[in-house]
Amino acid sequence: MIQDIGRNTIDTEFAKPKPQDSDYVLIFEKTDVFVVPETGSLPTYADWKRLGGDNSELVHIFEQAGTQFFTVLDPDDAIKQQLRREVSRYLRTVQPTWLRLGSVTALHLFQWFQNHRFCGCCGAPMKPDGKELAMRCTNDECHAVTYPAISPAIIVGIVNNGKILLTRSSVYKNPVYALVSGYMSVGETFETTVKREVKEETGLDVTNIQYYGNQPWGFSGAQMIGFWAELTGSDQVKLQEEELKEAGWYTPEEIPPAYEENPLDLTHYMIELFRAHKAPAQR
Ligand SMILES: [Zn+2]
């Protein structure tokens, strides 16, 4: 999974490191990322200097195992024009592989910065605090501070008589096979979120909900929390069509071909575990 590739410690303890040539300066626009055209690699500080970047625009966001990551809140067109634009999915394949966790985490933080340019209390502009990873209101009478937000979301592998429930989303154009998932609501426990999402999306009931694992998932600003659960009652699926176009029961041998050889995301890691007869619920 994305957090298991190596160099998996993201440190957001705030420091003001002097950028080194091998550090990264990640440039985004909305959900797109800019890469070096000749190599397809993410821009380093050496690239930033070569492109004529101004150091006063660099915002330090974290350290990943000795490498510093910076971003730029409002990059000049002159810089972006020298780079190649890719959609955020590109970060799933970026090399070296340990950069996948760092670059997706940088995207998460960039989007949070973008969505907090103005103060929610008084409407004045906000700017990076400079002492900690936070945005601070520039209005002297307000000084509101806001910290990066993480949205918890559950994933659940539902097992029944040696089969697993696989779903396909109706939200995406070419959906891959997945598991039931959804964001927590205020006031819920993980278990009540699991039961509610399963009931809403499929009409099914589950029991014996067991925590499995979790991962940061910056593509959607989320922390994904995985569970295994057993079906109770009827196995007849009633689809919530705004969310799912398909859901069905599969034995390990019937599961469609793997989405990725070494899945980055918890959903596909759990599906591959079931295919290999290694899911806790299969023991
Ligand atoms: Zn304010």
Side-chain angles (χ1 to χ4, degrees):
M1 286 186 279
I2 196 166
Q3 70 272 29
D4 301 326
I5 294 170
R7 292 211 192 189
N8 55 1
T9 314
I10 300 279
D11 184 355
T12 58
E13 279 304 306
F14 212 76
K16 270 196 169 169
K18 196 169 171 292
Q20 307 294 314
D21 280 356
S22 58
D23 290 337
Y24 285 92
V25 177
L26 300 194
I27 299 171
F28 302 101
E29 185 178 301
K30 295 186 178 155
T31 58
D32 292 345
V33 59
F34 290 84
V35 302
V36 177
E38 301 79 32
T39 58
S41 53
L42 295 170
T44 60
Y45 179 62
D47 293 316
W48 172 252
K49 287 190 295 187
R50 182 174 54 79
L51 298 171
D54 175 352
N55 277 11
S56 69
E57 291 181 25
L58 296 181
V59 178
H60 179 242
I61 43 177
F62 55 80
E63 175 184 323
Q64 184 179 6
T67 299
Q68 306 300 332
F69 282 71
F70 298 83
T71 192
V72 182
L73 300 192
D74 197 11
D76 288 347
D77 286 344
I79 300 273
K80 289 188 282 192
Q81 280 160 7
Q82 300 175 74
L83 296 168
R84 188 174 86 215
R85 182 192 288 262
E86 294 282 353
V87 296
S88 61
R89 263 193 79 75
Y90 186 84
L91 300 177
R92 290 183 86 111
T93 58
V94 79
Q95 296 287 345
T97 52
W98 64 267
L99 269 177
R100 294 172 190 177
L101 175 63
S103 59
V104 174
T105 304
L107 173 65
H108 180 165
L109 286 168
F110 174 79
Q111 294 196 306
W112 174 78
F113 282 125
Q114 287 293 296
N115 294 337
H116 292 82
R117 284 176 295 168
F118 297 97
C119 178
C121 299
C122 75
M126 298 192 96
K127 63 174 192 183
D129 176 69
K131 295 195 189 77
E132 56 184 345
L133 191 58
M135 289 288 265
R136 185 176 287 272
C137 178
T138 54
N139 174 357
D140 284 344
E141 287 170 15
C142 178
H143 279 319
V145 182
T146 183
Y147 296 92
I150 305 166
S151 304
I154 62 89
I155 298 169
V156 52
I158 308 167
V159 176
N160 177 40
N161 281 333
K163 296 186 176 186
I164 188 169
L165 188 82
L166 298 186
T167 66
R168 292 176 80 207
S169 167
S170 48
V171 179
Y172 302 108
K173 210 162 139 204
N174 297 307
V176 294
Y177 284 90
L179 301 174
V180 170
S181 64
Y183 288 103
M184 280 185 92
S185 294
V186 172
E188 287 186 325
T189 63
F190 291 138
E191 289 79 5
T192 53
T193 310
V194 167
K195 287 185 178 179
R196 176 182 54 76
E197 284 290 343
V198 171
K199 190 75 178 175
E200 279 176 9
E201 293 190 11
T202 66
L204 300 172
D205 291 301
V206 289
T207 185
N208 195 17
I209 299 165
Q210 302 285 331
Y211 170 74
Y212 175 66
N214 76 102
Q215 71 173 174
W217 198 244
F219 287 108
S220 50
Q223 190 76 13
M224 307 304 297
I225 303 128
F227 297 85
W228 292 100
E230 289 170 21
L231 178 78
T232 180
S234 168
D235 65 356
Q236 290 300 306
V237 174
K238 288 190 211 85
L239 283 185
Q240 182 187 33
E241 287 171 5
E242 312 87 75
E243 295 272 334
L244 297 182
K245 69 160 70 162
E246 197 180 328
W249 297 101
Y250 293 80
T251 65
E253 293 68 33
E254 290 165 347
I255 293 175
Y259 173 58
E260 281 171 327
E261 195 181 339
N262 297 303
L264 287 185
D265 61 86
L266 185 56
T267 293
H268 291 93
Y269 188 86
M270 288 173 68
I271 293 173
E272 290 311 311
L273 210 62
F274 191 85
R275 189 201 301 278
H277 296 265
K278 288 180 181 163
Q282 290 166 296
R283 286 185 200 135

